[in-house]
Amino acid sequence: MLTKLSIKNYALIENLSVDFHDGFSIITGETGAGKSILLGALGLVLGNRADTTYLKNTDQKCIIESEFSIEKYDLESFFEEEDLDFEPLTIIRREILPSGKSRAFINDTPTTLSVLKLLSEKLIDIHSQHQTLELSDSQYQFKIIDILAANKDLITDYKKILLEYNSLKRELKELLDSQENFKQQYEYNLHLFEELDLANIADGELVKIESELEIMNNVESIKLNLEESLQLNQDEEFGLSSLISLLKSKIGSISNYSEKYTELFQRIESVEIELKDIVVELENLNESITYSKTDIDNLNERVQLIYDLFKKHNVLSERELLEIKESLFSKVELVQNSPEIVSKKESELNQLVEKLNKFSATIHQNRKKVIPVFVSRLQEILENLGMQNSRFKIELSKSPVFLPNGTDEVKLLYSANKGTNFGELKKIASGGELSRIMLAVKSILSSYMSLPSIIFDEIDSGVSGEISNKMADIMKQMSQNMQVISITHLPQVAAKGKYHYKVFKEDIDNNTVTQLKLLNTDERVEEIAEIIGGKRLSDSALAHAKELLN
């Protein structure tokens, strides 16, 4: 439940901090005193968007902080999923900077507005007059019915399958569209693929061939130089081998005289060994040069083929050709194997359809089961609220497509008087009737939901007298299971609260600010008397106020 709200530099509020309690609390105040400002500030910490127009002093940041007691509501898993620290007393803080940027924190951990909204849905329900209009919205009607039907887990599982179904359905459509396009180009794609497949081009092949051609085209020069190199070595008197052998002999004869000569002798030996290896390599290279004109022609043809394919497919490398070949293969294979591929996906789709039908049938049965119970309970509460002739009818019809929450379409129809036809709620019910209907709905839901807090923003507008007294009794009864805060202008409702807060404006140093205070018993008598009779507190108004409180 909401235990504390602190507001700094927001609208007409400079610095305000107020503690809230369990049970039934009342907030009253004159029109324009700032009740909507309080709700606006609370809305910001619950994830509503903000801008600098909210700042009272545009040079300072606005800070709104709310504290919630949440230890009884099994929210540990939510905090774990969102990587947040769970605290029995959780603090949500929102800051709006003069630059227009805003920041949000949960237990001092930075978070996003989307996470704030998800958490707020589990903490508090702020009912406004706008929300009363949601009674005519089919999604809100489903929300009511599904809470009573305990369909939450079923719908969650259904949505997962529906997501998979829609994804596979898109894949199948794209596949069929692709097949149609590829069929028209099949012969051409097949020709291109077979041409590349026959060419059997390897990545890096062109560089290798061109290097080989470079050798072939200069084979005479190469062979001549290799043979002359061998001659330099083979001459008996002046060949390299003979000269190094002679050098080795000369230095060998003095190698015993000094370590320096020994080291030099070893180096000459190494040169001799290296030279022998070089000679062997020269001989091998000389013998391997056996290229013919046919070989050169074949390689030139291969190079030309590769360049022709480069030009044809507008690419610059063998790797790009191989990628095109792979793409062509996929297109050709798609057409050739299309019956099997389509059949497999259609089979998978049919399996998902069976699952969706199974889930939606269970969801439908659960809804069908609770609707009479809901209607009966709703009419019973409304009869107590002076709407004795109100009748409701909720119709479920089968949708031809899978909807986000099943295959049902819903109509909530209303008749206000005996002998009148059923019609749409928003066209028949008055504002006062809609308020009472919404209160009855919230009262029923409170027995099925473990929501910590609810705030009613003038839900009693449009009603008076005994009816407002009974509406207050319903809110008081709801407060046995949850924290209920009611913003009201009616003395009958104000008198039923366990705690009573007053919103008021005062001038401080030529500056108008909004304040909120918890009233004591005497102050409460005066506030209710003022609601009854105005600023001048008459004896009769005071007596009436005391009577209401007693």
Side-chain angles (χ1 to χ4, degrees), residues 194-206:
E194 288 178 341
E195 184 180 49
L196 286 172
D197 191 47
L198 185 64
N200 195 26
I201 292 169
D203 191 18
E205 179 182 356
L206 187 60

Side-chain angles (χ1 to χ4, degrees), residues 181-401:
N181 293 331
F182 293 155
K183 276 180 184 177
Q184 297 171 7
Q185 304 170 22
Y186 172 72
E187 294 297 334
Y188 180 60
N189 287 336
L190 180 62
H191 166 70
L192 292 177
F193 169 74
E194 288 178 341
E195 184 180 49
L196 286 172
D197 191 47
L198 185 64
N200 195 26
I201 292 169
D203 191 18
E205 179 182 356
L206 187 60
V207 173
K208 189 176 178 182
I209 294 175
E210 288 179 334
S211 175
E212 199 169 347
L213 277 171
E214 183 72 15
I215 295 172
M216 289 184 177
N217 290 325
N218 295 279
V219 65
E220 291 180 0
S221 174
I222 293 169
K223 195 164 183 67
L224 176 63
N225 280 281
L226 286 174
E227 288 174 349
E228 288 179 351
S229 297
L230 286 169
Q231 283 297 325
L232 287 172
N233 180 68
Q234 292 168 355
D235 189 280
E236 290 184 3
E237 187 175 352
F238 298 106
L240 290 174
S241 293
S242 298
L243 291 173
I244 287 177
S245 179
L246 179 60
L247 178 63
K248 179 182 172 185
S249 174
K250 296 293 183 183
I251 301 301
S253 64
I254 63 173
S255 62
N256 293 329
Y257 301 146
S258 170
E259 188 177 331
K260 291 180 182 179
Y261 302 143
T262 303
E263 289 177 358
L264 190 58
F265 176 78
Q266 291 172 347
R267 289 172 64 188
I268 294 169
E269 275 191 326
S270 297
V271 170
E272 185 180 37
I273 293 169
E274 180 66 18
L275 180 60
K276 287 179 180 178
D277 286 343
I278 290 172
V279 170
V280 171
E281 184 69 20
L282 286 170
E283 289 172 346
N284 290 336
L285 288 171
N286 191 38
E287 290 174 5
S288 67
I289 298 178
T290 57
Y291 298 124
S292 66
K293 187 176 182 303
T294 304
D295 292 331
I296 295 174
D297 290 343
N298 288 339
L299 287 178
N300 278 321
E301 286 177 10
R302 183 67 176 170
V303 169
Q304 189 59 49
L305 171 64
I306 293 173
Y307 276 117
D308 287 344
L309 290 173
F310 280 1
K311 185 177 179 181
K312 185 171 187 176
H313 293 281
N314 194 27
V315 297
L316 298 172
S317 69
E318 300 98 312
R319 181 177 294 276
E320 290 175 284
L321 279 180
L322 292 173
E323 289 172 356
I324 290 173
K325 177 184 172 183
E326 187 177 341
S327 174
L328 289 167
F329 176 74
S330 298
K331 292 175 182 178
V332 169
E333 186 185 43
L334 185 63
V335 175
Q336 292 175 341
N337 300 331
S338 61
E340 294 83 358
I341 298 171
V342 171
S343 176
K344 182 183 177 184
K345 288 197 177 292
E346 285 178 340
S347 175
E348 291 173 2
L349 202 63
N350 289 333
Q351 290 174 14
L352 291 176
V353 168
E354 287 180 14
K355 289 181 181 179
L356 287 171
N357 283 329
K358 184 178 178 181
F359 271 100
S360 58
T362 307
I363 291 168
H364 171 78
Q365 288 302 319
N366 290 348
R367 287 169 175 167
K368 194 174 178 183
K369 195 184 300 180
V370 300
I371 284 174
V373 178
F374 172 63
V375 169
S376 175
R377 181 73 182 119
L378 185 60
Q379 292 179 167
E380 180 186 335
I381 295 172
L382 291 175
E383 185 176 348
N384 189 42
L385 293 176
M387 296 172 65
Q388 293 88 345
N389 297 323
S390 294
R391 291 178 300 146
F392 288 87
K393 182 164 64 173
I394 299 177
E395 297 177 346
L396 292 178
S397 57
K398 177 93 172 166
S399 165
V401 296

Side-chain angles (χ1 to χ4, degrees), residues 453-513:
S453 306
I454 186 168
I455 298 178
F456 290 110
D457 182 17
E458 298 184 10
I459 196 171
D460 46 29
S461 62
V463 300
S464 59
E466 183 59 26
I467 301 304
S468 63
N469 193 44
K470 289 181 177 178
M471 290 180 75
D473 285 335
I474 291 175
M475 286 186 272
K476 190 173 182 179
Q477 184 180 3
M478 289 173 65
S479 72
Q480 294 176 8
N481 301 319
M482 64 195 306
Q483 180 190 46
V484 178
I485 300 172
S486 177
I487 298 172
T488 183
H489 287 292
L490 298 180
Q492 294 90 343
V493 177
K496 296 281 186 178
K498 184 178 178 182
Y499 303 95
H500 190 155
Y501 299 84
K502 181 177 181 177
V503 180
F504 60 95
K505 288 193 290 190
E506 64 177 353
D507 295 331
I508 302 175
D509 298 330
N510 294 321
N511 188 22
T512 301
V513 296

